[in-house]
Amino acid sequence: MKVTVGVCGGIAAYKAAELVRALEKHALDVHVVMTEAAQQFVQPLTFAALTGHKVITGLWDADGSGAGEPGAEAASSIEHMDAAQTTDALVVAPATANTLAKFAHGIADDFLSALYLATTAPVIVAPAMNVNMWEHAATRANLETLAGRNVRIVSPESGYLACGMTGAGRLAETEAIVDAVLSVLQHRNDLAGETMLVTAGGTREALDPVRFLGNRSSGKMGYAMAEAAQRRGARVILVTAPTALRPPANVEVVPVVTTEEMRQAVMNRLDQTTIVIKAAAVADYRPRVQADQKLRRSGPLTLELEPTQDILAEVVAQRRAGMLVIGFAAETQDALAHGRDKLLRKGADAIVLNDVSREGVGFDADRNAVTFLTRDRAMELPEMRKRELADHILDEILALRRPRKVLAESDAPVSGD
Ligand code: PMT
């Protein structure tokens, strides 16, 4: 597999040589791109000698800076497109505040920033800079933006910095960067051949033409699942109740509003689906009668509700051989007991259990903490960004496809039954 290492201008640029060697030890074909500033710290020849490939140092044929240096090569103005399409991962180490800002704002004024914009391969950045630059609000905001676009960030370490200050900003250990690259590569296309149907958002049940019964689901968890599955090679169908989110690219989007619409959208596509993930918060009840006109205020109002159909249970009842069915559960008390009850009652292969009474996770938060619950295991996935969590949940789902090992005593079931 081909990995492109982007080297930016900072004192840690010399450590990129160690990173290149470490990646090559994992049989990866490593190519190097250097910014102009990086060449002030390390010669392109170093990387050319280590990789056996010319190092790309500039964007233009005519006057690409560094083109005259041994081992360096200025690229043609479309070469970044070729590099973007052929690389399996882009890792930038050290990543300076300047390059992170360019990535976050879509500025493509050198080869590395143009490559970042043009590639659809996973991107990992390992920042290194002065502590004040690292902690500056602008850098924090740029990193937030990049994390939100699925750029993997290998955070710098704290310690004595080359600028003489002490604090966070020192390039992460080579091993940590290599681990991030390997984990990203391992996920590449591991869901190829799967068709994943993901439900997201909160369904709405109309009371009258202007009001509805709804819930607090923002759709973030479901959209994160859809985006991660698509990135890992699955064909994804996203059945979504109304949200304020932009759907992920290259995903088939089926908008719905009510539970019944969601039910039909799911059931009509079941024959194409190999994995169903029900992250939506679905209304359990709807008004028995929907008023034709806006209800007028006149004293107490009693609503008569009727139960909706349980889509998850219906999917389980009609599942085909080999299909995996994963439910979510949002609980506010006795989460594990309720989650386990839902798992058994609905007959899903697993339930992703959220304790939504916890501050900062669950509904409408960017982060979540869940327990992946199967009949014989309860795997805690600690608090993290929903986008990152989605990958961990997908790992757990994929593990269900592997043959089960015989339970050891330490793998005690969650409860006695
Ligand atoms: O959207 P976010 O703001 O990011 O929040 C994420 C989330 C908290 C909504 C999500 O992580 C989550 O927990 N979703 C499930 C919410 C829920 O309340 O589920 P439940 O316990 O009511 O239902 C259990 C399962 O049955 C769910 O998979 C649900 O989709 C399904 N169900 C429920 C009722 C129904 N009539 N049909 C169903 O299929």
Side-chain angles (χ1 to χ4, degrees):
M1 284 209 213
K2 176 176 166 182
V3 172
T4 303
V5 176
V7 186
C8 304
I11 194 72
Y14 76 95
K15 294 187 184 169
E18 191 181 309
L19 174 65
V20 166
R21 290 196 58 147
L23 290 170
E24 284 178 333
K25 281 190 187 146
H26 289 276
L28 295 167
D29 179 23
V30 182
H31 293 244
V32 174
V33 174
M34 298 179 79
T35 64
E36 199 177 337
Q39 297 160 60
Q40 302 294 322
F41 292 88
V42 189
Q43 290 295 312
L45 188 58
T46 307
F47 295 111
L50 286 173
T51 62
H53 300 296
K54 290 245 179 190
V55 173
I56 296 180
T57 53
L59 195 51
W60 305 107
D61 271 325
D63 61 350
S65 53
E69 300 292 336
E73 186 177 63
S76 78
S77 53
I78 55 154
E79 198 167 339
H80 59 281
M81 297 306 290
D82 183 54
Q85 275 155 27
T86 56
T87 199
D88 291 295
L90 168 63
V91 52
V92 184
T96 55
N98 181 48
T99 291
L100 293 173
K102 286 202 239 179
F103 284 6
H105 295 278
I107 296 167
D109 64 352
D110 63 7
F111 193 93
L112 183 58
S113 49
L115 175 61
Y116 166 75
L117 268 193
T119 193
T120 54
V123 179
I124 300 132
V125 295
M129 62 196 73
N130 158 276
V131 59
N132 291 343
M133 293 171 88
W134 171 247
E135 283 171 0
H136 197 284
T139 306
R140 312 309 310 170
N142 290 334
L143 284 164
E144 273 294 306
T145 302
L146 293 175
R149 292 178 191 153
N150 253 315
V151 171
R152 180 94 169 247
I153 295 153
V154 186
S155 294
E157 295 184 348
S158 286
Y160 181 76
L161 304 173
C163 58
M165 295 175 76
T166 302
R170 205 166 64 189
L171 184 67
E173 290 295 327
T174 300
E175 207 175 299
I177 305 171
V178 171
D179 281 354
V181 175
L182 294 180
S183 122
V184 150
L185 289 175
Q186 177 207 327
H187 284 155
R188 211 138 156 73
N189 285 329
D190 61 354
L191 287 171
E194 302 282 3
T195 298
M196 197 170 282
L197 189 152
V198 181
T199 67
T203 58
R204 296 177 178 180
E205 304 297 338
L207 290 171
D208 67 16
V210 298
R211 302 182 182 92
F212 59 82
L213 293 177
N215 62 67
R216 292 177 48 213
S217 172
S218 63
K220 287 179 185 172
M221 191 68 242
Y223 277 50
M225 295 299 305
E227 199 277 335
Q230 191 282 329
R231 182 168 26 86
R232 290 168 65 162
R235 175 187 163 216
V236 178
I237 304 168
L238 175 63
V239 177
T240 175
T243 74
L245 305 174
R246 182 146 20 113
N250 304 319
V251 156
E252 182 184 331
V253 180
V254 185
V256 296
V257 177
T258 64
T259 302
E260 180 52 26
E261 285 171 15
M262 182 171 277
R263 187 184 79 82
Q264 284 179 25
V266 171
M267 299 315 289
N268 287 343
R269 289 162 181 82
L270 222 47
D271 57 343
Q272 316 162 32
T273 303
T274 58
I275 303 178
V276 178
I277 300 185
K278 293 226 68 254
V282 183
D284 284 315
Y285 289 92
R286 66 173 161 240
R288 190 178 290 282
V289 181
Q290 198 190 114
D292 290 339
Q293 302 300 329
K294 183 179 171 187
L295 292 167
R296 297 286 151 200
R297 182 186 164 98
S298 63
L301 175 69
T302 303
L303 292 175
E304 196 182 346
L305 303 179
E306 63 182 7
T308 58
Q309 243 169 297
D310 189 324
I311 309 169
L312 182 58
E314 201 174 336
V315 168
V316 169
Q318 296 196 23
R319 70 194 301 172
R320 283 175 297 109
M323 181 191 280
L324 290 174
V325 183
I326 315 296
F328 270 65
E331 302 295 343
T332 54
Q333 58 176 357
D334 299 330
L336 200 56
H338 285 302
R340 183 158 175 76
D341 173 63
K342 267 182 196 163
L343 175 75
L344 299 177
R345 200 161 31 85
K346 301 206 183 202
D349 294 291
I351 287 281
V352 182
L353 176 64
N354 320 243
D355 180 350
V356 289
S357 64
R358 282 183 52 187
E359 192 75 14
V361 298
F363 287 115
D364 201 19
D366 289 328
R367 301 174 73 80
N368 209 0
V370 301
T371 305
F372 190 86
L373 209 56
T374 62
R375 274 152 203 263
D376 46 29
R377 237 157 63 85
M379 166 63 84
E380 300 245 350
L381 297 173
E383 185 182 327
M384 63 187 99
R385 298 181 138 273
K386 283 179 177 169
R387 283 162 176 266
E388 201 183 327
L389 183 63
D391 270 320
H392 288 278
I393 294 172
L394 290 176
D395 288 345
E396 294 299 324
I397 293 171
L398 269 184
L400 298 174
R401 282 246 186 272
R402 294 188 205 114
R404 291 194 179 190
K405 69 179 169 87
V406 177
L407 278 185
E409 263 182 37
S410 58
D411 294 324
V414 182
S415 78
D417 53 354

